[in-house]
Coordinates of all heavy atoms in Angstrom, one line a residue:
M1 N 23.3 26.9 -42.1 CA 22.7 26.2 -43.1 C 23.6 25.2 -43.8 O 24.6 25.7 -44.2 CB 22.1 27.0 -44.2 CG 21.4 26.3 -45.3 SD 20.7 27.4 -46.4 CE 21.8 27.4 -47.7
E2 N 23.4 23.9 -43.6 CA 24.3 23.0 -44.1 C 23.9 22.7 -45.7 O 22.7 22.8 -46.1 CB 24.2 21.7 -43.5 CG 25.3 20.8 -43.9 CD 25.4 19.4 -43.1 OE1 25.3 19.6 -41.8 OE2 25.4 18.4 -43.6
I3 N 24.9 22.7 -46.6 CA 24.8 22.7 -47.9 C 24.4 21.2 -48.4 O 25.1 20.3 -47.9 CB 25.9 23.0 -48.8 CG1 26.1 24.6 -48.6 CG2 25.8 22.8 -50.2 CD1 27.4 25.1 -49.1
E4 N 23.4 20.9 -49.2 CA 23.2 19.7 -49.8 C 23.9 19.7 -51.1 O 23.3 20.3 -52.0 CB 21.7 19.3 -49.8 CG 20.9 19.2 -48.5 CD 21.5 18.0 -47.8 OE1 21.8 16.9 -48.5 OE2 21.4 18.0 -46.5
L5 N 25.0 19.0 -51.2 CA 25.7 19.0 -52.5 C 24.9 18.6 -53.6 O 25.1 19.0 -54.7 CB 27.1 18.2 -52.3 CG 28.0 18.3 -53.4 CD1 28.5 19.6 -53.6 CD2 29.2 17.3 -53.1
T6 N 24.0 17.7 -53.5 CA 23.2 17.1 -54.6 C 22.2 18.1 -55.1 O 21.9 18.0 -56.3 CB 22.3 16.0 -54.0 OG1 21.6 16.3 -53.0 CG2 23.2 14.8 -53.6
D7 N 21.9 19.3 -54.4 CA 21.2 20.3 -55.0 C 21.9 21.0 -56.2 O 21.2 21.6 -57.1 CB 20.9 21.3 -53.9 CG 19.9 20.8 -52.9 OD1 19.2 19.7 -53.0 OD2 19.8 21.3 -51.8
Y8 N 23.1 20.9 -56.1 CA 23.9 21.6 -57.2 C 24.9 20.6 -57.9 O 26.1 21.0 -58.4 CB 24.9 22.7 -56.5 CG 24.0 23.6 -55.5 CD1 23.9 23.4 -54.3 CD2 23.2 24.7 -56.3 CE1 23.1 24.4 -53.5 CE2 22.5 25.5 -55.5 CZ 22.4 25.3 -54.2 OH 21.5 26.3 -53.4
M9 N 24.5 19.5 -58.0 CA 25.5 18.4 -58.5 C 26.1 18.7 -59.9 O 27.3 18.6 -60.1 CB 24.8 17.0 -58.5 CG 25.9 15.8 -58.8 SD 27.1 15.7 -57.7 CE 26.2 15.3 -56.2
D10 N 25.3 19.2 -60.9 CA 25.9 19.5 -62.1 C 26.9 20.6 -62.1 O 28.0 20.4 -62.7 CB 24.7 20.0 -63.1 CG 23.7 18.9 -63.4 OD1 24.2 17.7 -63.4 OD2 22.6 19.2 -63.9
E11 N 26.7 21.5 -61.2 CA 27.7 22.6 -61.1 C 28.9 22.3 -60.4 O 30.0 22.9 -60.5 CB 27.1 23.9 -60.4 CG 25.9 24.5 -61.3 CD 24.5 23.9 -61.0 OE1 24.6 22.8 -60.4 OE2 23.6 24.5 -61.3
L12 N 28.8 21.2 -59.5 CA 29.8 21.0 -58.5 C 30.7 19.8 -58.9 O 31.7 19.5 -58.1 CB 29.3 20.8 -57.2 CG 28.5 22.0 -56.7 CD1 28.0 21.8 -55.3 CD2 29.4 23.3 -56.7
V13 N 30.2 19.0 -59.8 CA 31.1 17.8 -60.2 C 32.5 18.2 -60.6 O 33.5 17.5 -60.0 CB 30.5 17.0 -61.4 CG1 31.4 16.0 -62.0 CG2 29.2 16.4 -60.9
E14 N 32.8 19.2 -61.1 CA 34.1 19.9 -61.5 C 34.9 20.1 -60.1 O 36.0 19.8 -60.1 CB 34.0 21.2 -62.3 CG 35.3 21.8 -62.4 CD 35.1 23.2 -63.1 OE1 34.0 23.6 -63.6 OE2 36.1 24.0 -63.2
L15 N 34.3 20.7 -59.2 CA 35.0 20.9 -57.9 C 35.3 19.7 -57.2 O 36.5 19.6 -56.6 CB 34.0 21.7 -57.1 CG 33.7 23.2 -57.3 CD1 32.6 23.7 -56.4 CD2 34.9 24.0 -57.4
V16 N 34.5 18.6 -57.3 CA 34.9 17.4 -56.6 C 36.1 16.7 -57.3 O 37.0 16.3 -56.7 CB 33.6 16.4 -56.5 CG1 34.2 15.1 -56.0 CG2 32.6 17.0 -55.6
E17 N 36.1 16.8 -58.6 CA 37.3 16.3 -59.5 C 38.4 17.1 -59.2 O 39.6 16.4 -59.0 CB 37.0 16.3 -60.9 CG 35.9 15.3 -61.2 CD 35.4 15.5 -62.7 OE1 35.7 16.4 -63.4 OE2 34.5 14.5 -63.1
L18 N 38.4 18.5 -59.1 CA 39.6 19.2 -58.5 C 40.0 18.9 -57.2 O 41.2 18.9 -57.0 CB 39.2 20.6 -58.7 CG 39.2 21.3 -60.2 CD1 38.7 22.7 -60.1 CD2 40.6 21.4 -60.8
Q19 N 39.1 18.7 -56.3 CA 39.5 18.3 -55.0 C 40.1 17.1 -54.8 O 41.2 16.9 -54.2 CB 38.2 18.4 -54.1 CG 38.5 18.0 -52.6 CD 39.4 19.1 -51.9 OE1 38.9 20.3 -52.0 NE2 40.4 18.9 -51.4
E20 N 39.7 15.9 -55.7 CA 40.4 14.7 -55.8 C 41.7 14.9 -56.3 O 42.7 14.2 -55.8 CB 39.5 13.7 -56.5 CG 38.3 13.3 -55.7 CD 37.3 12.5 -56.6 OE1 37.3 12.7 -57.8 OE2 36.4 12.0 -56.0
A21 N 41.9 15.6 -57.4 CA 43.2 15.9 -58.0 C 44.2 16.6 -57.0 O 45.4 16.2 -56.8 CB 43.2 16.6 -59.3
N22 N 43.6 17.5 -56.3 CA 44.3 18.3 -55.3 C 44.8 17.4 -54.2 O 46.0 17.3 -53.8 CB 43.5 19.4 -54.7 CG 44.2 20.1 -53.6 OD1 45.1 20.9 -53.8 ND2 43.7 20.0 -52.3
D23 N 44.0 16.5 -53.7 CA 44.3 15.5 -52.6 C 45.6 14.6 -53.1 O 46.4 14.3 -52.3 CB 43.1 14.7 -52.2 CG 42.0 15.6 -51.5 OD1 42.3 16.8 -51.2 OD2 41.0 15.1 -51.5
A24 N 45.3 14.1 -54.4 CA 46.3 13.2 -54.8 C 47.7 13.9 -55.0 O 48.7 13.3 -54.5 CB 45.9 12.7 -56.2
A25 N 47.7 15.2 -55.4 CA 49.0 15.9 -55.6 C 49.5 16.1 -54.2 O 50.8 16.2 -54.0 CB 48.8 17.1 -56.5
H26 N 48.7 16.6 -53.3 CA 49.1 16.9 -52.0 C 49.8 15.7 -51.2 O 50.7 15.8 -50.5 CB 47.9 17.5 -51.1 CG 48.4 18.1 -49.8 ND1 47.7 17.9 -48.7 CD2 49.6 18.6 -49.3 CE1 48.3 18.4 -47.7 NE2 49.4 19.0 -48.1
A27 N 49.1 14.5 -51.5 CA 49.7 13.3 -51.0 C 51.1 13.0 -51.4 O 51.9 12.5 -50.6 CB 48.8 12.1 -51.3
V28 N 51.4 13.4 -52.7 CA 52.7 13.1 -53.1 C 53.7 14.1 -52.4 O 54.8 13.7 -52.1 CB 52.8 13.4 -54.7 CG1 54.2 13.5 -55.3 CG2 52.0 12.4 -55.5
V29 N 53.3 15.2 -52.3 CA 54.1 16.4 -51.7 C 54.4 15.8 -50.2 O 55.6 15.8 -49.7 CB 53.6 17.7 -51.5 CG1 54.4 18.7 -50.6 CG2 53.5 18.2 -53.0
K30 N 53.3 15.4 -49.3 CA 53.5 14.9 -48.0 C 54.3 13.7 -48.0 O 55.2 13.7 -47.1 CB 52.2 14.6 -47.5 CG 51.4 15.8 -47.1 CD 50.0 15.7 -46.7 CE 49.8 14.6 -45.6 NZ 48.3 14.5 -45.1
H31 N 54.2 12.9 -48.9 CA 55.1 11.6 -48.9 C 56.6 11.9 -49.1 O 57.4 11.5 -48.4 CB 54.7 10.6 -50.0 CG 55.5 9.4 -50.2 ND1 55.6 8.3 -49.3 CD2 56.4 9.2 -51.1 CE1 56.4 7.6 -49.7 NE2 56.9 7.9 -50.7
L32 N 56.8 12.9 -50.2 CA 58.2 13.3 -50.3 C 58.7 14.1 -49.1 O 59.9 13.8 -48.6 CB 58.3 14.3 -51.5 CG 58.3 13.6 -52.8 CD1 58.3 14.6 -53.9 CD2 59.5 12.8 -52.9
Q33 N 57.9 14.9 -48.4 CA 58.4 15.5 -47.2 C 58.8 14.5 -46.1 O 59.7 14.6 -45.4 CB 57.4 16.4 -46.7 CG 57.4 17.8 -47.6 CD 56.2 18.7 -47.2 OE1 55.1 18.3 -46.9 NE2 56.6 20.0 -47.1
E34 N 58.0 13.6 -46.0 CA 58.2 12.6 -44.9 C 59.4 11.8 -45.2 O 60.2 11.6 -44.4 CB 57.0 11.5 -44.8 CG 55.8 12.1 -44.3 CD 54.6 11.3 -44.4 OE1 54.6 10.2 -44.9 OE2 53.4 11.8 -44.0
E35 N 59.7 11.4 -46.4 CA 60.9 10.6 -46.8 C 62.0 11.4 -46.8 O 63.2 11.1 -46.2 CB 60.6 10.0 -48.3 CG 59.7 8.9 -48.3 CD 60.0 7.7 -47.6 OE1 61.2 7.3 -47.6 OE2 59.2 7.2 -46.8
L36 N 62.0 12.6 -47.3 CA 63.2 13.6 -47.4 C 63.5 14.1 -46.0 O 64.6 14.6 -45.6 CB 62.9 14.6 -48.3 CG 62.9 14.2 -49.7 CD1 62.7 15.5 -50.8 CD2 64.2 13.4 -50.3
G37 N 62.5 14.2 -45.0 CA 62.7 14.7 -43.7 C 63.7 13.8 -43.0 O 64.2 14.2 -42.0
K38 N 63.8 12.5 -43.5 CA 64.7 11.5 -42.6 C 66.2 11.8 -43.1 O 67.1 11.2 -42.6 CB 64.3 10.2 -43.1 CG 62.9 9.9 -42.6 CD 62.4 8.5 -43.0 CE 61.0 8.3 -42.7 NZ 60.5 7.0 -43.3
V39 N 66.4 12.5 -44.2 CA 67.7 12.9 -44.8 C 68.3 14.2 -44.2 O 67.4 15.1 -44.1 CB 67.6 13.0 -46.3 CG1 69.0 13.2 -46.8 CG2 67.0 11.7 -46.9
Q40 N 69.5 14.2 -43.8 CA 69.9 15.5 -43.2 C 70.1 16.6 -44.2 O 69.9 17.7 -44.0 CB 71.4 15.2 -42.5 CG 71.1 14.6 -41.0 CD 72.4 14.7 -40.5 OE1 73.4 14.4 -40.8 NE2 72.3 15.3 -39.2
K41 N 70.7 16.2 -45.5 CA 70.8 17.2 -46.4 C 70.3 16.6 -47.8 O 70.7 15.5 -48.1 CB 72.3 17.5 -46.6 CG 72.6 18.7 -47.7 CD 73.9 19.1 -47.7 CE 74.1 20.1 -48.8 NZ 75.1 21.1 -48.6
W42 N 69.4 17.4 -48.4 CA 68.8 16.9 -49.7 C 69.8 17.0 -50.8 O 70.6 18.2 -50.8 CB 67.5 17.7 -50.0 CG 66.4 17.6 -49.0 CD1 66.3 16.8 -48.0 CD2 65.2 18.2 -49.3 NE1 65.1 16.9 -47.4 CE2 64.3 17.7 -48.3 CE3 64.6 18.9 -50.3 CZ2 63.0 18.2 -48.0 CZ3 63.3 19.3 -50.1 CH2 62.5 18.9 -49.1
T43 N 69.8 16.1 -51.7 CA 70.6 16.3 -52.9 C 69.9 17.2 -53.9 O 68.7 17.6 -53.7 CB 70.7 14.8 -53.7 OG1 69.4 14.4 -54.1 CG2 71.4 13.9 -52.7
D44 N 70.5 17.5 -54.9 CA 69.9 18.5 -55.9 C 68.6 17.7 -56.6 O 67.7 18.3 -56.8 CB 70.8 18.9 -57.1 CG 72.0 19.8 -56.7 OD1 71.9 20.5 -55.6 OD2 73.0 19.9 -57.3
E45 N 68.8 16.4 -56.9 CA 67.7 15.7 -57.4 C 66.5 15.7 -56.3 O 65.4 15.7 -56.8 CB 68.1 14.2 -57.7 CG 69.2 14.2 -58.8 CD 70.6 14.4 -58.4 OE1 70.9 14.4 -57.1 OE2 71.4 14.7 -59.3
Q46 N 66.8 15.5 -55.0 CA 65.7 15.6 -54.1 C 65.0 16.9 -54.0 O 63.7 17.0 -54.0 CB 66.2 15.2 -52.8 CG 66.6 13.8 -52.7 CD 67.4 13.4 -51.5 OE1 68.3 14.2 -51.1 NE2 67.2 12.2 -50.9
H47 N 65.7 18.0 -54.3 CA 65.2 19.3 -54.2 C 64.3 19.4 -55.5 O 63.1 20.0 -55.4 CB 66.2 20.5 -54.3 CG 66.8 20.9 -53.0 ND1 66.1 21.6 -52.2 CD2 68.0 20.4 -52.3 CE1 66.9 21.8 -51.0 NE2 68.0 21.1 -51.1
V48 N 64.8 19.0 -56.6 CA 64.0 19.2 -57.8 C 62.6 18.2 -57.6 O 61.7 18.7 -58.2 CB 64.8 18.7 -59.1 CG1 64.0 18.4 -60.3 CG2 65.9 19.7 -59.4
A49 N 62.8 17.1 -57.2 CA 61.5 16.1 -57.0 C 60.5 17.0 -56.2 O 59.5 16.9 -56.4 CB 62.0 14.8 -56.5
W50 N 61.1 17.5 -55.1 CA 60.1 18.1 -54.1 C 59.5 19.3 -54.7 O 58.2 19.6 -54.7 CB 60.7 18.5 -52.8 CG 59.8 19.0 -51.7 CD1 59.0 18.4 -50.9 CD2 59.3 20.4 -51.7 NE1 58.2 19.2 -50.2 CE2 58.3 20.6 -50.8 CE3 59.8 21.6 -52.4 CZ2 57.7 21.7 -50.4 CZ3 59.2 22.8 -52.0 CH2 58.1 22.8 -51.0
R51 N 60.2 20.1 -55.4 CA 59.9 21.3 -56.0 C 58.8 21.1 -57.2 O 57.7 21.7 -57.3 CB 60.9 22.1 -56.6 CG 60.5 23.5 -57.2 CD 61.5 24.1 -58.1 NE 61.6 23.3 -59.4 CZ 62.7 23.0 -60.0 NH1 63.9 23.6 -59.5 NH2 62.7 22.1 -61.0
D52 N 59.1 19.9 -57.9 CA 58.2 19.6 -59.0 C 56.9 19.1 -58.5 O 55.7 19.4 -59.0 CB 58.8 18.5 -60.0 CG 60.0 19.1 -60.7 OD1 60.1 20.2 -60.8 OD2 60.7 18.1 -61.4
A53 N 57.0 18.4 -57.4 CA 55.7 17.9 -56.8 C 54.9 19.0 -56.2 O 53.7 19.1 -56.3 CB 56.0 16.7 -55.7
W54 N 55.5 19.9 -55.6 CA 54.9 21.1 -55.1 C 54.3 22.0 -56.1 O 53.2 22.4 -55.9 CB 55.9 22.0 -54.2 CG 55.3 23.1 -53.6 CD1 54.7 23.0 -52.3 CD2 55.0 24.4 -53.9 NE1 54.1 24.3 -51.9 CE2 54.4 25.1 -52.9 CE3 55.5 25.1 -55.1 CZ2 54.0 26.4 -53.1 CZ3 55.1 26.5 -55.3 CH2 54.5 27.1 -54.2
E55 N 54.9 22.1 -57.2 CA 54.4 22.9 -58.5 C 53.1 22.1 -59.0 O 52.1 22.8 -59.3 CB 55.4 23.1 -59.5 CG 56.5 24.1 -59.1 CD 56.0 25.6 -59.0 OE1 54.9 25.8 -59.8 OE2 56.5 26.3 -58.3
D56 N 53.2 20.8 -59.0 CA 52.1 19.9 -59.6 C 51.0 20.3 -58.6 O 49.7 20.4 -59.1 CB 52.4 18.6 -59.6 CG 53.4 18.1 -60.7 OD1 53.6 19.2 -61.6 OD2 54.0 17.2 -60.7
W57 N 51.1 20.2 -57.2 CA 50.1 20.4 -56.3 C 49.5 21.8 -56.5 O 48.3 21.9 -56.6 CB 50.5 20.1 -54.9 CG 49.6 20.4 -53.8 CD1 48.1 20.2 -53.8 CD2 49.9 21.0 -52.5 NE1 47.7 20.7 -52.7 CE2 48.7 21.1 -51.8 CE3 51.1 21.3 -52.0 CZ2 48.6 21.6 -50.6 CZ3 51.0 21.8 -50.6 CH2 49.8 21.9 -49.9
R58 N 50.3 22.8 -56.6 CA 49.8 24.2 -56.7 C 49.1 24.4 -58.0 O 48.1 25.1 -58.0 CB 51.1 25.2 -56.7 CG 50.7 26.5 -56.4 CD 51.9 27.5 -56.6 NE 52.4 27.5 -57.9 CZ 52.9 28.4 -58.5 NH1 53.1 29.6 -57.9 NH2 53.3 28.5 -59.8
E59 N 49.6 23.7 -59.1 CA 48.7 24.0 -60.3 C 47.3 23.4 -60.3 O 46.4 23.7 -61.0 CB 49.6 23.2 -61.5 CG 50.8 24.0 -61.8 CD 51.7 23.2 -62.9 OE1 51.2 22.0 -63.3 OE2 52.7 23.6 -63.2
V60 N 47.0 22.5 -59.3 CA 45.7 22.0 -59.1 C 45.0 22.9 -58.0 O 43.8 23.1 -58.1 CB 45.7 20.5 -58.6 CG1 44.3 20.0 -58.4 CG2 46.3 19.7 -59.7
W61 N 45.6 23.1 -57.0 CA 45.1 23.9 -55.8 C 44.6 25.3 -56.2 O 43.5 25.6 -55.8 CB 46.3 24.1 -54.7 CG 45.8 24.8 -53.6 CD1 45.0 24.4 -52.5 CD2 46.0 26.1 -53.3 NE1 44.7 25.4 -51.7 CE2 45.3 26.6 -52.1 CE3 46.7 27.2 -53.9 CZ2 45.3 27.8 -51.5 CZ3 46.7 28.5 -53.4 CH2 46.1 28.8 -52.2
E62 N 45.4 25.9 -57.0 CA 44.9 27.3 -57.3 C 43.7 27.3 -58.2 O 42.7 28.1 -57.8 CB 46.0 28.1 -58.1 CG 47.1 28.6 -57.3 CD 48.3 29.2 -57.9 OE1 48.5 29.1 -59.1 OE2 49.2 29.8 -57.2
P63 N 43.5 26.4 -59.1 CA 42.2 26.4 -59.8 C 41.0 26.0 -59.0 O 39.9 26.5 -59.2 CB 42.4 25.4 -61.0 CG 43.8 25.5 -61.2 CD 44.6 25.7 -59.8
L64 N 41.3 25.2 -58.0 CA 40.4 24.7 -57.0 C 39.8 25.9 -56.2 O 38.7 26.0 -56.1 CB 40.9 23.5 -56.1 CG 40.0 23.1 -55.0 CD1 38.7 22.5 -55.5 CD2 40.6 22.1 -54.1
E65 N 40.7 26.6 -55.7 CA 40.4 27.7 -54.9 C 39.5 28.9 -55.7 O 38.6 29.3 -55.1 CB 41.7 28.5 -54.4 CG 42.3 27.7 -53.2 CD 41.6 27.4 -52.1 OE1 41.0 28.3 -51.5 OE2 41.3 26.2 -51.6
D66 N 40.0 29.0 -56.9 CA 39.3 30.0 -57.7 C 37.9 29.4 -58.1 O 37.0 30.2 -58.1 CB 40.0 30.1 -59.1 CG 41.4 31.0 -58.8 OD1 41.5 31.5 -57.8 OD2 42.1 30.9 -59.8
A67 N 37.7 28.1 -58.4 CA 36.4 27.6 -58.7 C 35.5 27.5 -57.5 O 34.4 27.8 -57.6 CB 36.6 26.1 -59.2
L68 N 36.0 27.3 -56.3 CA 35.2 27.4 -55.1 C 34.7 28.7 -54.9 O 33.4 28.9 -54.7 CB 36.0 27.0 -53.9 CG 36.3 25.4 -53.7 CD1 37.4 25.2 -52.7 CD2 35.0 24.8 -53.4
T69 N 35.5 29.7 -55.0 CA 35.1 31.2 -54.9 C 34.1 31.5 -55.9 O 33.0 32.1 -55.6 CB 36.3 32.2 -55.0 OG1 37.2 31.8 -54.0 CG2 35.8 33.6 -54.9
H70 N 34.3 31.1 -57.2 CA 33.3 31.4 -58.3 C 32.1 30.7 -58.1 O 30.9 31.4 -58.2 CB 34.1 30.9 -59.6 CG 33.0 31.0 -60.8 ND1 32.6 32.2 -61.4 CD2 32.3 29.9 -61.4 CE1 31.7 31.8 -62.4 NE2 31.6 30.5 -62.3
F71 N 32.0 29.4 -57.8 CA 30.7 28.8 -57.7 C 29.9 29.2 -56.5 O 28.7 29.3 -56.4 CB 30.8 27.3 -57.6 CG 31.1 26.7 -58.9 CD1 32.2 25.9 -59.2 CD2 30.0 26.6 -59.9 CE1 32.5 25.4 -60.5 CE2 30.3 26.1 -61.2 CZ 31.4 25.4 -61.4
A72 N 30.7 29.5 -55.2 CA 30.0 30.1 -54.1 C 29.3 31.3 -54.5 O 28.1 31.7 -54.0 CB 31.0 30.2 -53.0
E73 N 29.9 32.2 -55.2 CA 29.4 33.6 -55.6 C 28.3 33.4 -56.5 O 27.1 34.0 -56.4 CB 30.5 34.5 -56.1 CG 31.4 35.0 -55.1 CD 32.6 35.7 -55.6 OE1 32.6 36.0 -56.9 OE2 33.5 36.3 -55.0
E74 N 28.5 32.5 -57.4 CA 27.5 32.3 -58.6 C 26.2 31.6 -58.0 O 25.1 31.9 -58.4 CB 28.0 31.4 -59.7 CG 27.1 31.2 -60.8 CD 27.7 30.5 -62.0 OE1 28.7 31.0 -62.6 OE2 27.3 29.4 -62.2
L75 N 26.4 30.8 -56.9 CA 25.2 30.1 -56.5 C 24.6 30.6 -55.3 O 23.8 30.2 -54.7 CB 25.6 28.6 -56.3 CG 26.0 27.8 -57.5 CD1 26.5 26.5 -57.0 CD2 24.8 27.7 -58.5
G76 N 25.3 31.7 -54.7 CA 24.9 32.4 -53.5 C 25.2 31.5 -52.3 O 24.4 31.6 -51.3
L77 N 26.1 30.7 -52.3 CA 26.4 29.9 -51.1 C 27.6 30.4 -50.3 O 28.5 31.2 -50.9 CB 26.9 28.5 -51.6 CG 25.8 27.8 -52.5 CD1 26.4 26.6 -53.1 CD2 24.5 27.5 -51.7
D78 N 27.7 30.1 -49.1 CA 28.8 30.4 -48.3 C 30.0 29.5 -48.6 O 29.9 28.3 -48.8 CB 28.5 30.0 -46.7 CG 29.7 30.2 -45.9 OD1 29.9 31.4 -45.4 OD2 30.4 29.2 -45.5
R79 N 31.2 30.2 -49.0 CA 32.3 29.5 -49.4 C 32.9 28.4 -48.6 O 33.3 27.3 -49.0 CB 33.4 30.6 -49.8 CG 34.6 29.9 -50.7 CD 35.8 30.7 -50.8 NE 36.9 30.2 -51.3 CZ 37.6 29.2 -51.0 NH1 37.3 28.4 -49.9 NH2 38.4 28.7 -51.8
G80 N 32.8 28.7 -47.3 CA 33.4 27.6 -46.3 C 32.5 26.4 -46.3 O 33.0 25.3 -46.2
E81 N 31.2 26.7 -46.3 CA 30.2 25.6 -46.3 C 30.4 24.8 -47.6 O 30.4 23.4 -47.7 CB 28.9 26.1 -46.2 CG 28.6 26.4 -44.8 CD 27.2 26.9 -44.6 OE1 26.3 26.7 -45.5 OE2 26.8 27.5 -43.5
L82 N 30.6 25.4 -48.7 CA 30.8 24.8 -50.1 C 32.1 24.0 -50.1 O 32.0 22.8 -50.6 CB 30.8 25.9 -51.2 CG 31.0 25.4 -52.6 CD1 29.9 24.3 -53.0 CD2 31.2 26.6 -53.6
E83 N 33.1 24.5 -49.5 CA 34.4 23.8 -49.4 C 34.3 22.7 -48.6 O 34.8 21.5 -49.1 CB 35.5 24.7 -49.0 CG 36.9 24.1 -49.1 CD 37.9 25.0 -48.5 OE1 37.6 26.1 -48.1 OE2 39.2 24.5 -48.7
A84 N 33.6 22.6 -47.6 CA 33.5 21.5 -46.6 C 32.6 20.4 -47.5 O 32.9 19.2 -47.3 CB 32.8 22.0 -45.4
A85 N 31.6 20.9 -48.2 CA 30.8 19.9 -48.9 C 31.5 19.2 -49.9 O 31.4 18.0 -50.1 CB 29.5 20.6 -49.4
V86 N 32.3 19.9 -50.7 CA 33.1 19.3 -51.7 C 34.2 18.5 -51.2 O 34.4 17.2 -51.7 CB 33.9 20.5 -52.5 CG1 34.9 19.9 -53.5 CG2 32.8 21.4 -53.4
Q87 N 34.8 18.9 -50.1 CA 35.7 17.9 -49.4 C 35.1 16.6 -48.9 O 35.6 15.5 -49.1 CB 36.4 18.6 -48.3 CG 37.4 19.6 -48.7 CD 38.0 20.5 -47.6 OE1 37.7 20.3 -46.3 NE2 39.1 21.3 -47.9
E88 N 34.0 16.8 -48.4 CA 33.2 15.5 -48.0 C 32.8 14.7 -49.1 O 33.0 13.5 -49.1 CB 31.9 16.0 -47.1 CG 31.2 14.8 -46.6 CD 29.9 15.1 -45.9 OE1 29.7 16.3 -45.4 OE2 29.0 14.3 -45.9
A89 N 32.3 15.3 -50.2 CA 32.1 14.6 -51.4 C 33.3 13.9 -51.9 O 33.2 12.7 -52.6 CB 31.3 15.3 -52.4
A90 N 34.4 14.5 -51.8 CA 35.7 13.9 -52.2 C 36.2 12.8 -51.3 O 37.3 12.3 -51.6 CB 36.7 14.9 -52.5
G91 N 35.6 12.6 -50.2 CA 36.1 11.6 -49.4 C 36.9 11.9 -48.0 O 37.4 11.2 -47.4
H92 N 37.0 13.3 -47.8 CA 37.7 13.8 -46.6 C 36.9 13.4 -45.3 O 35.7 13.4 -45.3 CB 37.6 15.3 -46.6 CG 38.8 15.9 -47.5 ND1 39.7 16.8 -47.1 CD2 39.1 15.7 -48.9 CE1 40.6 17.0 -48.1 NE2 40.1 16.3 -49.1
V93 N 37.7 13.2 -44.4 CA 37.2 12.9 -43.0 C 37.4 14.2 -42.3 O 38.5 14.7 -42.3 CB 37.9 11.7 -42.3 CG1 37.4 11.6 -40.9 CG2 37.7 10.4 -43.1
P94 N 36.2 14.8 -41.6 CA 36.4 16.1 -41.0 C 37.4 16.1 -39.8 O 37.5 14.9 -39.2 CB 35.0 16.4 -40.4 CG 34.1 15.5 -41.3 CD 35.0 14.3 -41.6
L95 N 38.1 17.0 -39.6 CA 39.1 17.0 -38.6 C 38.5 17.3 -37.3 O 37.5 18.2 -37.2 CB 40.3 18.2 -38.9 CG 41.2 17.8 -40.1 CD1 42.0 19.0 -40.2 CD2 41.9 16.6 -40.0
A96 N 38.9 16.7 -36.2 CA 38.3 17.1 -34.9 C 38.8 18.4 -34.4 O 40.0 18.7 -34.8 CB 38.8 16.0 -33.8
V97 N 38.0 19.1 -33.9 CA 38.3 20.5 -33.4 C 38.5 20.5 -31.8 O 37.6 20.0 -31.2 CB 37.4 21.5 -33.9 CG1 37.5 22.8 -33.2 CG2 37.0 21.5 -35.3
D98 N 39.6 20.9 -31.5 CA 39.9 21.0 -30.0 C 39.3 22.1 -29.5 O 39.3 23.1 -30.0 CB 41.4 21.0 -29.8 CG 42.3 19.8 -30.2 OD1 41.7 18.6 -30.3 OD2 43.5 19.9 -30.4
G99 N 38.5 21.8 -28.4 CA 37.7 23.0 -27.8 C 38.2 23.3 -26.6 O 38.2 23.8 -25.6

């Protein structure tokens, strides 16, 4: 059963906002990894920048995971389907699955 996010919009706006914040923080981590991956040895400042970005991402990711679980249980929804619906609402493009 595919979830219609609009059926639960009031309850799920928070999840979409958390997903968008998670995506933004994750993008910073990925950018730093790409940039620092070109360097053979990171400086102390580079380590601190990456660690801080990772912590910022984790501070958003953990509440998102908790909220997904909470809302799925509270609304009687499949958590995976809820997560997919929230990601779609936040602008994610589904990944192709190799079969």
Side-chain angles (χ1 to χ4, degrees):
M1 174 180 96
E2 190 169 316
I3 294 173
E4 291 295 328
L5 191 59
T6 54
D7 293 346
Y8 306 100
M9 191 55 71
D10 291 341
E11 297 88 344
L12 302 177
V13 167
E14 174 187 350
L15 289 175
V16 174
E17 290 172 352
L18 282 170
Q19 183 67 56
E20 290 169 342
N22 177 71
D23 293 346
H26 187 217
V28 172
V29 171
K30 285 174 51 175
H31 174 74
L32 280 172
Q33 286 176 314
E34 290 169 4
E35 289 300 311
L36 296 176
K38 300 174 185 173
V39 177
Q40 281 196 309
K41 184 173 176 156
W42 292 6
T43 65
D44 289 342
E45 292 82 14
Q46 289 168 323
H47 275 284
V48 168
W50 184 88
R51 186 198 66 222
D52 289 350
W54 187 85
E55 287 291 333
D56 290 346
W57 175 33
R58 194 182 70 143
E59 288 175 7
V60 179
W61 176 80
E62 288 177 343
L64 172 61
E65 291 297 307
D66 292 344
L68 283 167
T69 299
H70 170 76
F71 280 116
E73 290 172 358
E74 186 174 294
L75 299 173
L77 302 171
D78 177 83
R79 191 197 181 284
E81 289 181 11
L82 175 61
E83 183 174 12
V86 168
Q87 288 176 348
E88 182 178 337
H92 279 231
V93 176
L95 297 176
V97 178
D98 293 336

